[in-house]
């Protein structure tokens, strides 16, 4: 288990190699600050030696014979040491804290950018709350360690080395006695680390569960209220929160037991120095000043080790977070972006071809698409219809390269989409989905999301084409109206039309309407139908629909069942064939044989 934490630390150091100079400088400042911090205890012992031995003191042997001058010299040295300690403390605080801020910013940014590159399967197997927990809580936990824990570990190490050197110089025997507890303390720290690591891993998982539940409940507050499930959800949140508390309690129990053990070990070392050193001083084997130095330094050596438990606790929490953060960064990208060749410009004349495409979702019981061969002529309107789960939306996800086919390929014009950059591919496609996502901001900002450089005239034109201007113009603030998170201040139909306007502003060669009218009112459906008359001009239009009334004017209708193409043709041709399309049309129109 301990090796796992060290591996996480090693991985973190490798990640932070761009900050190597800053890390080294900060570490040096921490070490020098601790050396200055130890020095006053040595000067106190030397001052006692001056008072007791005067002309024969240690300082006198350096050529300063007057006791008054010796004390003055020690005062000057004390001032310089305290000033140096303050300067280097300021330096290491600035360096470590800035490093913590810069590194946490880089980790969050790199994590988010890597997250955007992962295919949709990754997001479908994880909750948004869990991912937010990694990018927020875990990054902040690591920041807290870098902010103080790293400096504490360095200073404990420097203290042991520096004080140990002084001890062995003055009295090797007392040094051995004083240092006897240190192996016990170190062993205890490693034992604690071994027991604490799985506990803190569990704590981080519980944080993810808690964040996920809060995100889901806040996003679904309308559903919770409509089902009067407030008490039930509060009870469930309390259960998850109590699990988090229990997980933390287990970790705290282990860390709290470590501190008393360290205190008793420190007491043993201090008593050994006090008693043995005192006896030697009484027998004249050890100078009074040297005895004072040893007593003071024993405190300086052993007392900081009481905070070692807290530092190791912080370290373990940080390494648990580091494993989650770097685990995200190490997640392989399965949909690899192509950067080869020149930029491709797609046009409305380009045909779209699905060539023997097969696809299965991870852990799915059966393939979603089976040997699909489909050509969509450039500039035409194609409708995909079929029962739920027949593979309609999956075809669109493959076209956008949210996933790659298990076998087969997709081309637009003469270009295999796997050989085209994702930027080029997705710039050529506009998507209006059933599940509309709008950002917290103004109507203008949401429509202009497709083209951030668009002016108000272009945005208004897109809104008119999407039949959205009729309601926008009636709002007191027009395009500047704030719509709230996920467009909560708009109706479902209004959100759908804003989504359509956003896609139209992009002016894509290929426009996809994925169930765009399945959850809207008749007025909105009629508005979108009117829009399609203008929309279908000068672009390839792909419509996925359950309502067959919305696709009767399509140039071609393709019927999917169980991932296979069962029928294809115009509305009148499919009705005449008396197949699956005819049966579905009969059910929807209420015409029975």
């Amino acid at each position: 288990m301990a090796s796992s934490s060290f591996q996480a630390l090693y991985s973190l150091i490798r990640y932070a190699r761009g900050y190597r100079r800053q890390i080294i400088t900060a570490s040096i400042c921490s070490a020098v600050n601790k050396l200055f911090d130890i020095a006053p205890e040595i000067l106190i012992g030397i001052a006692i030696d001056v008072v007791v031995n005067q002309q024969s003191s240690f300082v006198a042997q350096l050529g300063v014979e007057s006791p008054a001058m010796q004390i003055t010299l020690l005062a000057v040295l004390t001032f310089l040491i305290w000033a140096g300690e303050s300067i280097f403390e300021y330096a290491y605080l600035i360096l470590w804290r800035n490093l913590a801020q810069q590194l946490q910013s880089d980790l969050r940014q790199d994590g988010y950018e890597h997250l955007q590159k992962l295919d949709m399967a990754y997001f479908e197997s994880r909750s948004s709350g869990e991912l937010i927990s990694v990018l927020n809580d875990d990054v902040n936990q690591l920041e807290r360690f870098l902010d103080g824990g790293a400096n504490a570990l360095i200073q404990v190490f420097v203290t042991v080395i520096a004080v140990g050197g002084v001890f062995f110089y003055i009295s090797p025997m007392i040094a051995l006695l004083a240092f006897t507890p240190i192996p016990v303390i170190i062993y205890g720290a490693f034992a604690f680390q071994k027991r604490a690591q799985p506990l803190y891993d569990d704590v981080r998982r519980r944080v993810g569960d808690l964040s996920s539940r809060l995100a889901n409940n806040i996003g679904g507050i309308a559903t919770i209220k409509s089902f009067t499930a407030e008490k039930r959800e509060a009870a469930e949140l309390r259960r998850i929160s109590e699990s988090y508390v229990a997980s933390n309690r287990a970790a705290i129990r282990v860390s709290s037991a470590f501190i008393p053990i360290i205190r008793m070990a420190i007491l043993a070392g201090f008593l050994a120095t006090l008693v043995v050193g005192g006896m030697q001083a009484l027998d004249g084997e050890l100078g009074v000043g040297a005895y004072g130095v040893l007593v003071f330094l024993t405190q300086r050596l052993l007392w900081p080790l009481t905070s070692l438990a807290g530092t190791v606790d912080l370290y373990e929490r940080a390494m648990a977070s580091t494993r989650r953060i770097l685990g995200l960064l190490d997640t392989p990208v399965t949909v690899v972006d192509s950067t080869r060749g020149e930029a491709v410009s797609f046009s409305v004349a380009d045909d779209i071809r699905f060539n023997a495409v097969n696809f299965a979702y991870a852990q799915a019981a059966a393939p979603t698409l089976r040997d699909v061969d489909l050509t969509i002529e450039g500039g035409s309107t194609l409708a995909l219809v079929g029962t739920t789960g027949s593979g309609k939306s999956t075809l669109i996800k493959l076209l956008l390269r949210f996933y790659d086919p298990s076998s087969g390929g997709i081309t637009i014009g003469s270009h295999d989409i796997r050989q085209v950059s994702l930027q080029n591919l997705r710039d050529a496609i506009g998507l209006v989905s059933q599940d509309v996502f709008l950002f917290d901001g103004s109507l203008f900002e949401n429509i202009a999301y497709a083209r951030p450089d668009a002016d108000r005239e272009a945005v208004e034109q897109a809104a008119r084409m999407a039949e959205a201007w009729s309601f926008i113009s009636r709002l007191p603030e027009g395009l500047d109206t704030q719509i709230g998170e996920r467009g909560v201040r708009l109706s479902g139909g209004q959100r759908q039309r804003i989504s359509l306007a956003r896609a139209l502003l992009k002016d894509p060669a290929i426009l996809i309407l994925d169930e765009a009218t399945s959850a809207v009112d008749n007025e909105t459906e009629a508005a979108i139908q009117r829009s399609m008359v203008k929309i279908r001009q000068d672009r390839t239009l792909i419509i996925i629909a359950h309502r067959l009334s919305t696709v009767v004017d399509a140039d071609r209708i393709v019927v999917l069942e169980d991932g296979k193409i069962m029928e294809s043709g115009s509305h009148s041709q499919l009705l005449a064939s008396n197949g699956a399309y005819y049966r579905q049309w009969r059910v929807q129109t209420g015409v029975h044989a």
Side-chain angles (χ1 to χ4, degrees):
M1 288 293 184
S3 61
S4 180
S5 290
F6 290 133
Q7 180 63 42
L9 180 61
Y10 174 71
S11 299
L12 179 62
I13 291 172
R14 285 189 60 193
Y15 174 83
R17 57 185 174 271
Y19 295 103
R20 188 172 300 165
R21 180 176 297 177
Q22 189 171 344
I23 293 171
I24 292 172
T25 305
S27 300
I28 290 172
C29 288
S30 292
V32 174
N33 168 263
K34 180 50 63 176
L35 292 175
F36 278 126
D37 185 46
I38 293 168
E41 276 71 18
I42 299 174
L43 293 179
I44 291 172
I46 293 174
I48 293 171
D49 181 57
V50 170
V51 172
V52 172
N53 295 316
Q54 299 186 19
Q55 282 85 0
S56 57
S57 68
F58 172 76
V59 179
Q61 295 175 20
L62 299 178
V64 184
E65 296 183 1
S66 168
M69 290 298 296
Q70 292 177 36
I71 293 297
T72 302
L73 176 61
L74 291 176
V76 172
L77 287 174
T78 300
F79 172 80
L80 293 175
I81 287 170
W82 278 67
E85 180 186 359
S86 299
I87 291 170
F88 280 96
E89 182 174 7
Y90 173 79
Y92 83 65
L93 285 173
I94 289 291
L95 290 167
W96 281 119
R97 289 177 178 177
N98 282 338
L99 175 65
Q101 293 300 315
Q102 291 164 353
L103 199 55
Q104 64 92 13
S105 177
D106 284 353
L107 280 167
R108 185 176 288 111
Q109 188 68 31
D110 289 346
Y112 175 73
E113 290 182 7
H114 185 76
L115 197 65
Q116 292 187 120
K117 297 175 184 176
L118 300 177
D119 65 37
M120 295 304 294
Y122 182 85
F123 297 93
E124 290 166 0
S125 63
R126 289 163 179 81
S127 69
S128 58
E130 177 187 355
L131 298 176
I132 291 170
S133 174
V134 172
L135 294 177
N136 192 36
D137 294 338
D138 286 322
V139 170
N140 290 340
Q141 186 66 55
L142 179 58
E143 177 195 353
R144 284 190 285 273
F145 170 70
L146 292 173
D147 209 27
N151 169 72
L153 286 176
I154 291 170
Q155 293 203 331
V156 166
F157 176 77
V158 171
T159 298
V160 171
I161 298 300
V163 172
V166 175
F167 262 69
F168 278 98
Y169 175 78
I170 295 175
S171 174
M173 184 182 75
I174 295 178
L176 290 173
L177 291 173
F179 273 69
T180 299
I182 290 181
V184 176
I185 294 170
I186 294 175
Y187 173 79
F190 279 103
F192 162 73
Q193 183 189 56
K194 184 176 181 180
R195 291 193 61 186
Q197 180 183 309
L199 298 177
Y200 286 127
D201 284 342
D202 187 59
V203 168
R204 301 319 305 165
R205 283 192 294 271
R206 301 293 182 185
V207 170
D209 293 343
L210 193 56
S211 297
S212 178
R213 194 70 188 190
L214 286 169
N216 282 337
N217 285 15
I218 293 171
I221 192 65
T223 302
I224 292 172
K225 285 179 176 293
S226 69
F227 284 95
T228 61
E230 292 92 341
K231 290 184 179 179
R232 187 165 72 246
E233 289 298 337
E236 180 62 17
L237 182 65
R238 185 180 297 109
R239 183 190 67 79
I240 297 172
S241 183
E242 287 174 354
S243 296
Y244 169 62
V245 170
S247 181
N248 249 319
R249 188 181 292 122
I252 291 169
R253 190 181 302 117
V254 172
S255 64
S256 298
F258 184 41
I259 296 175
I261 295 172
I262 288 182
R263 281 182 172 274
M264 296 309 296
I266 289 170
L267 176 62
F270 179 74
L271 289 177
T273 304
L274 184 70
V275 174
V276 176
M279 292 299 181
Q280 288 185 348
L282 290 173
D283 293 340
E285 298 176 17
L286 186 67
V288 175
Y291 175 59
V293 169
L294 292 178
V295 171
F296 287 124
L297 284 184
T298 301
Q299 289 268 56
R300 181 61 67 183
L301 168 67
L302 299 177
W303 187 253
L305 295 177
T306 58
S307 64
L308 186 60
T311 303
V312 174
D313 180 83
L314 191 62
Y315 168 78
E316 273 303 325
R317 289 178 183 268
M319 290 307 103
S321 293
T322 297
R323 284 188 290 274
R324 281 162 53 93
I325 299 164
L326 297 183
L328 169 61
L329 288 172
D330 290 338
T331 303
V333 176
T334 54
V335 177
V336 181
D337 194 0
S338 175
T339 56
R340 294 181 295 173
E342 298 179 0
V344 175
S345 178
F346 295 106
S347 73
V348 67
D350 291 324
D351 293 343
I352 303 169
R353 290 188 174 86
F354 293 81
N355 303 308
V357 169
N358 289 275
F359 179 77
Y361 290 101
Q363 302 177 341
T368 304
L369 295 175
R370 311 161 189 262
D371 295 318
V372 173
D373 283 299
L374 174 64
T375 298
I376 305 172
E377 294 181 3
S380 69
T381 297
L382 176 94
L384 295 171
V385 301
T387 58
T388 300
S390 59
K392 306 182 299 296
S393 294
T394 300
L395 281 173
I396 301 308
K397 291 176 182 178
L398 295 179
L399 180 60
L400 283 159
R401 285 202 75 202
F402 290 166
Y403 302 90
D404 279 334
S406 305
S407 63
I410 303 171
T411 60
I412 301 177
S414 60
H415 304 287
D416 185 327
I417 64 172
R418 286 171 294 194
Q419 304 304 318
V420 177
S421 74
L422 292 175
Q423 177 83 38
N424 270 173
L425 174 66
R426 292 171 185 169
D427 277 349
I429 302 173
L431 173 65
V432 182
S433 63
Q434 177 184 2
D435 184 18
V436 175
F437 186 91
L438 299 179
F439 297 92
D440 187 7
S442 68
L443 285 169
F444 177 86
E445 290 168 336
N446 272 276
I447 297 174
Y449 191 78
R451 271 178 48 206
D453 60 340
D455 57 24
R456 295 183 75 86
E457 182 180 352
V459 170
E460 180 179 334
Q461 183 180 354
R464 288 182 183 278
M465 189 177 294
E467 297 279 341
W469 188 250
S470 58
F471 79 84
I472 293 175
S473 62
R474 294 195 299 268
L475 297 172
E477 296 180 75
L479 284 171
D480 295 319
T481 301
Q482 297 293 313
I483 63 173
E485 189 174 5
R486 298 183 68 92
V488 68
R489 295 171 190 157
L490 300 178
S491 70
Q494 289 171 338
R495 288 197 295 270
Q496 194 65 263
R497 281 181 268 181
I498 294 301
S499 176
L500 179 58
R502 181 169 60 189
L504 292 174
L505 181 64
K506 190 178 182 181
D507 192 24
I510 302 165
L511 179 63
I512 300 168
L513 304 182
D514 186 358
E515 303 284 7
T517 62
S518 64
V520 298
D521 54 81
N522 292 333
E523 180 187 350
T524 300
E525 181 181 359
I528 292 176
Q529 289 281 59
R530 290 194 300 271
S531 299
M532 281 197 281
V533 175
K534 296 172 282 186
I535 290 169
R536 63 192 296 176
Q537 298 175 10
D538 301 322
R539 62 173 48 88
T540 302
L541 180 61
I542 302 174
I543 306 169
I544 297 176
H546 276 108
R547 296 184 186 179
L548 300 186
S549 59
T550 63
V551 300
V552 294
D553 293 327
D555 297 317
R556 184 181 173 202
I557 301 170
V558 173
V559 182
L560 287 169
E561 282 188 12
D562 295 326
K564 294 182 178 180
I565 295 177
M566 303 302 294
E567 294 180 300
S568 176
S570 67
H571 173 69
S572 58
Q573 289 172 335
L574 292 175
L575 287 181
S577 68
N578 289 331
Y581 182 84
Y582 170 73
R583 291 191 296 273
Q584 192 172 348
W585 175 264
R586 190 178 62 182
V587 170
Q588 290 190 14
T589 59
V591 177
H592 299 282

